[in-house]
Amino acid sequence: KCYIFFIVVNEFCERFSYYGMRAVLVLYFRYFLRWDDDLATSIYHAFVALCYLTPILGAIVADSWLGKFKTIIYLSIVYAIGQIVMAVSAINDITDANRDGTPDNMAVHVTLAMIGLILIAFGTGGIKPCVSAFGGDQFADHQTRQRSTFFSVFYLCINAGSLLSTLITPILRGQECGIHTQQKCYPLAFGVPAALMVVSLIVFIAGSGMYIKAAPQGNIMLDVCNCIGFAIKNRFRHRSKRYPKREHWLDWANEKYNKLLIAQIKMVLKVLFLYIPLPMFWTLFDQKGSRWTFQATTMDGTFGTLILQPDQMQTVNPILILTLVPIMDRVVYPLIRKCGFNFSPLKRMTVGMFLAAMAFVSAALVQIQIDKTLPVFPSSTESQLKIVNMASSQMEVTISPHDPIVLGSMQASDYMTLPNSTITVSLNTNPPIIKMFPLSERQRHTLIIPADPNTTFDITSKPEQGSNAIRHTFSISNSVKSCTFSKMFRFGAAYTFLIPSTLNLTDNCGASVVEVEDIKPNTVHMALQIPQYFLITAGEVVFSVTGLEFSYSQAPSNMKAVLQAGWLFTVAVGNFIVLIVAELAKLPDQWAEYVLFASLLVAVCIIFSIMAYFYTYINPAEIEAQFMQGDEIDPEDKEKKAIELKSKDFVQQQNEQVGKTKM
């Protein structure tokens, strides 16, 4: 079936589009829209949460109204429009009337970005449950081998799209582009994913005439919700003591729904109850795209000749997924079984949560090392001053209440912190010079001492976006001769270059250009993030893959969609928790926030382990078979259910594939 190619390519392009846009999103918020770290983190996780809520809506629309094919087409159009709007929102020239490189009306860009993200969330979430199921519809019941091969290739494309996009889009972001001024190229970083989404839509439509398009057959989630709602209302109507109690509160739906459906819902609710603690895992896991990316901007990304962008560190996750999944399945789990340990699915999930908590402990330790290297900037009641002697002779400078500072020619002092808004500077010249200077609070200043001293403002933050370490070459000339001076700029550093009036115009300017390091470069290497990525990915493999496989093994075959919706809902709730903590906690130190999240997950891990201890594993097929022997089920329903049970092995294989990839 050659037309399967269209579905596979469609999924690759869509995943490239989504993960590529998401890789640079938090830096776009921080450095283009100029939001602070907390707001950027909050909006990022609100967007991710919405992406994991909308699949429920997409599944209902596809199964009950439009069908999978039309749902994919319509929502892909919405998706592509959203990506294009995001790319347009990143073009600063559309509101930069004075051409100074800064948008004059940031509200326009924010509005466009929010519209784009909402469209993307409905698009990517809406088609998420449809594409894989639509691909499965292309195979007949007897084509189990071909169907299995399709799902293997399908999920390989998901991981390939994620990996490549997370590598490529940060490189595109790092380029400089613009009509009037050159800025970091966010329009290109968003534009390429938008183009891939358009390609995805075109490719999918190209196979339209060859697809098998199943008609909508109703959505089981609606049946489940209606049954639960009826049971609650019926129980409330019969709350009087004169009505006898029933074994389970869902049994109050017996008057309207058959016992098989009620039994199936009971099994599903038993699993969903175990989902209650799970959002905390996703609270930590999804911060690798927000907090951990911000952490990487304060680190050194030089790997030999390779320069890694801060947002490219996220590629460690898909690389480790592709590595760890087969290692876990073929080496670790069999070895544990041979040692006689009962490493049940719920125990695996508990270990996965603990590994995620340890990942944040590792992140906290890295953050502590980073904090030691960060400069101390002035507080709201202080100013800082550095003195540069540009004179041709040694100079003694006195700034009360500090001791006199002796600076040689072309030398600079360290920054000194001053509590006063006005200072008096005394120079031991002949005659002595005494001069007063106003200082701005929360600002760094440089006092330049030639014949007439004056001050300039310095930057009061680390250079933005964790810019690349690059070499700059300066040409200096006096219209007769010239010289060149070359310097390697390292990550996160700020420099001042002092050029003397007696400059020697020879090779490398006679080594007479003096470099003053205003802000030290990032010295903590990005490689130190690898342990936390390893731990969080190992936790994902043990937790997520096992969690999905366990859930599907404990639920009826026709209830897989309900569990999928419940699982995605835990991801959404987890991201909402990040949003709440980021806005309310306001901890002064980032490492403390990491420790807070790790502590919360350890506490939740303990609660989950207790719940898991009292859980009793079931065989849904046997329970369903018992109810099918009763007379309360219509013969037509029995026949339909028998077909579902017969295909249970295929469904299980398909869902095991789901668990071994990004969602």
Side-chain angles (χ1 to χ4, degrees):
K1 296 187 176 184
C2 61
Y3 57 86
I4 294 299
F5 166 82
F6 296 110
I7 300 175
V8 170
V9 173
N10 163 268
E11 184 64 13
F12 171 82
C13 293
E14 188 276 327
R15 290 290 86 184
F16 186 107
S17 177
Y18 174 73
Y19 282 107
M21 177 275 303
R22 182 171 152 177
V24 301
L25 185 60
V26 74
L27 295 184
Y28 166 74
F29 290 157
R30 179 66 182 85
Y31 299 117
F32 186 90
L33 298 184
R34 297 290 171 181
W35 293 342
D36 61 31
D37 287 3
D38 289 338
L39 181 57
T41 299
S42 298
I43 300 301
Y44 172 86
H45 286 284
F47 165 71
V48 175
L50 187 58
C51 289
Y52 283 96
L53 283 176
T54 50
I56 301 173
L57 179 62
I60 293 174
V61 169
D63 292 342
S64 305
W65 181 28
L66 293 177
K68 298 183 186 71
F69 176 76
K70 289 184 179 179
T71 301
I72 294 171
I73 293 292
Y74 295 156
L75 290 181
S76 291
I77 293 173
V78 171
Y79 194 168
I81 293 173
Q83 290 281 32
I84 292 170
V85 171
M86 275 300 297
V88 172
S89 76
I91 303 174
N92 66 290
D93 294 291
I94 61 176
T95 62
D96 186 13
N98 57 8
R99 301 184 181 182
D100 63 350
T102 303
D104 298 330
N105 190 347
M106 190 62 76
V108 172
H109 297 273
V110 172
T111 301
L112 288 173
M114 294 302 100
I115 292 173
L117 289 177
I118 291 172
L119 293 177
I120 291 170
F122 277 92
T124 186
I127 68 174
K128 189 188 295 288
C130 300
V131 179
S132 60
F134 183 75
D137 289 345
Q138 308 308 304
F139 298 90
D141 291 339
H142 65 277
Q143 295 177 308
T144 55
R145 184 178 61 83
Q146 295 93 326
R147 187 187 287 115
S148 178
T149 301
F150 162 74
F151 280 111
S152 296
V153 175
F154 183 85
Y155 295 117
L156 176 64
C157 287
I158 292 177
N159 285 286
S162 166
L163 176 60
L164 291 176
S165 63
T166 312
L167 277 172
I168 293 172
T169 51
I171 296 175
L172 300 178
R173 176 193 64 81
Q175 308 304 308
E176 292 192 346
C177 62
I179 300 173
H180 305 303
T181 56
Q182 297 294 299
Q183 305 286 339
K184 292 295 182 182
C185 206
Y186 289 101
L188 183 61
F190 290 137
V192 170
L196 263 291
M197 192 58 226
V198 173
V199 171
S200 171
L201 177 59
I202 293 173
V203 168
F204 186 74
I205 293 175
S208 174
M210 297 176 277
Y211 297 142
I212 298 173
K213 302 169 187 173
Q217 297 178 347
N219 189 279
I220 189 65
M221 285 187 288
L222 295 178
D223 294 336
V224 171
C225 293
N226 290 335
C227 181
I228 292 174
F230 179 81
I232 293 173
K233 288 188 293 184
N234 198 33
R235 176 67 184 90
F236 182 77
R237 286 197 299 263
H238 298 83
R239 61 187 180 277
S240 174
K241 291 183 179 180
R242 70 174 183 270
Y243 296 105
K245 291 184 178 180
R246 300 188 183 182
E247 184 178 352
H248 191 281
W249 62 270
L250 264 177
D251 292 334
W252 288 96
N254 284 339
E255 286 84 347
K256 186 175 180 181
Y257 295 91
N258 66 60
K259 292 183 179 180
L260 175 59
L261 177 63
I262 294 172
Q264 291 169 334
I265 296 175
K266 288 179 182 178
M267 289 184 273
V268 168
L269 291 179
K270 189 177 180 182
V271 176
L272 290 178
F273 177 72
L274 284 176
Y275 282 4
I276 294 175
L278 304 191
M280 202 63 216
F281 174 86
W282 301 112
T283 297
L284 276 67
F285 178 78
D286 279 329
Q287 288 189 64
K288 69 185 189 303
S290 56
R291 292 298 198 197
W292 287 11
T293 299
F294 285 141
Q295 185 183 66
T297 63
T298 59
M299 304 177 77
D300 181 7
T302 307
F303 289 79
T305 58
L306 176 65
I307 304 299
L308 208 62
Q309 299 283 351
D311 32 1
Q312 284 182 311
M313 277 302 293
Q314 298 175 57
T315 58
V316 175
N317 177 250
I319 291 172
L320 286 175
I321 286 176
L322 296 174
T323 305
L324 290 177
V325 166
I327 291 176
M328 289 291 186
D329 283 346
R330 299 177 185 178
V331 179
V332 177
Y333 294 154
L335 185 62
I336 291 175
R337 283 194 295 270
K338 284 186 178 180
C339 293
F341 293 108
N342 178 23
F343 200 34
S344 65
L346 293 179
K347 290 179 181 178
R348 294 183 198 176
M349 294 175 67
T350 304
V351 170
M353 297 168 80
F354 181 76
L355 289 172
M358 292 304 98
F360 266 61
V361 172
S362 176
L365 294 175
V366 171
Q367 189 64 46
I368 290 172
Q369 295 303 312
I370 292 172
D371 290 347
K372 292 178 181 178
T373 68
L374 295 177
V376 178
F377 294 109
S379 68
S380 58
T381 60
E382 297 174 332
S383 301
Q384 289 181 339
L385 182 70
K386 177 180 66 180
I387 305 170
V388 175
N389 181 15
M390 295 289 291
S392 58
S393 60
Q394 180 176 290
M395 191 79 65
E396 181 179 287
V397 184
T398 303
I399 300 176
S400 180
H402 292 267
D403 295 332
I405 301 171
V406 178
L407 295 174
S409 176
M410 306 300 292
Q411 282 190 349
S413 70
D414 293 330
Y415 280 102
M416 61 184 76
T417 301
L418 302 168
N420 303 320
S421 58
T422 303
I423 60 170
T424 301
V425 179
S426 302
L427 306 180
N428 65 337
T429 56
N430 189 15
I433 298 175
I434 300 177
K435 192 172 182 178
M436 297 182 66
F437 295 97
L439 298 180
S440 300
E441 294 176 340
R442 302 192 71 173
Q443 293 292 330
R444 278 186 161 189
H445 303 76
T446 294
L447 175 64
I448 302 174
I449 304 179
D452 184 23
N454 60 82
T455 62
T456 62
F457 285 105
D458 293 350
I459 62 174
T460 53
S461 64
K462 273 278 195 178
E464 294 182 345
Q465 306 187 49
S467 300
N468 277 346
I470 56 174
R471 178 173 294 279
H472 268 288
T473 300
F474 304 90
S475 295
I476 306 173
S477 67
N478 62 359
S479 73
V480 177
K481 293 183 179 181
S482 64
C483 68
T484 58
F485 171 75
S486 185
K487 168 66 184 175
M488 175 66 78
F489 289 168
R490 296 180 61 191
F491 278 90
Y495 303 92
T496 296
F497 293 98
L498 309 180
I499 303 175
S501 58
T502 57
L503 180 68
N504 188 356
L505 298 177
T506 58
D507 290 343
N508 203 34
C509 298
S512 55
V513 177
V514 178
E515 166 199 326
V516 177
E517 196 174 71
D518 298 327
I519 295 179
K520 294 185 180 298
N522 302 340
T523 55
V524 180
H525 203 275
M526 282 187 195
L528 289 181
Q529 280 196 321
I530 293 177
Q532 66 201 57
Y533 271 99
F534 176 82
L535 288 168
I536 200 76
T537 306
E540 177 190 11
V541 171
V542 177
F543 174 86
S544 182
V545 174
T546 305
L548 283 169
E549 291 178 355
F550 160 78
S551 301
Y552 292 133
S553 72
Q554 295 295 290
S557 57
N558 67 330
M559 295 283 178
K560 307 299 182 184
V562 179
L563 284 178
Q564 181 79 355
W567 186 266
L568 295 177
F569 185 73
T570 66
V571 182
V573 173
N575 279 272
F576 279 126
I577 294 174
V578 183
L579 188 157
I580 294 169
V581 172
E583 288 300 315
L584 296 182
K586 300 293 184 182
L587 296 176
D589 298 307
Q590 185 56 54
W591 67 264
E593 185 178 287
Y594 290 146
V595 172
L596 171 64
F597 279 119
S599 303
L600 289 174
L601 185 55
V602 169
V604 168
C605 184
I606 294 172
I607 295 172
F608 181 77
S609 64
I610 296 172
M611 295 170 64
Y613 178 79
F614 291 102
Y615 182 83
T616 303
Y617 290 84
I618 61 172
N619 187 333
E622 291 182 0
I623 295 175
E624 289 176 319
Q626 294 174 7
F627 281 92
M628 287 184 64
Q629 294 172 3
D631 296 328
E632 70 280 355
I633 303 177
D634 294 336
E636 184 179 344
D637 290 339
K638 281 188 178 183
E639 182 180 356
K640 181 179 178 182
K641 188 62 194 172
I643 294 174
E644 289 174 353
L645 293 175
K646 200 172 182 180
S647 63
K648 186 177 179 66
D649 291 339
F650 152 66
V651 176
Q652 182 66 29
Q653 292 173 4
Q654 174 180 339
N655 289 316
E656 285 176 358
Q657 293 287 341
V658 173
K660 297 180 180 178
T661 184
K662 287 182 171 292
M663 297 174 62

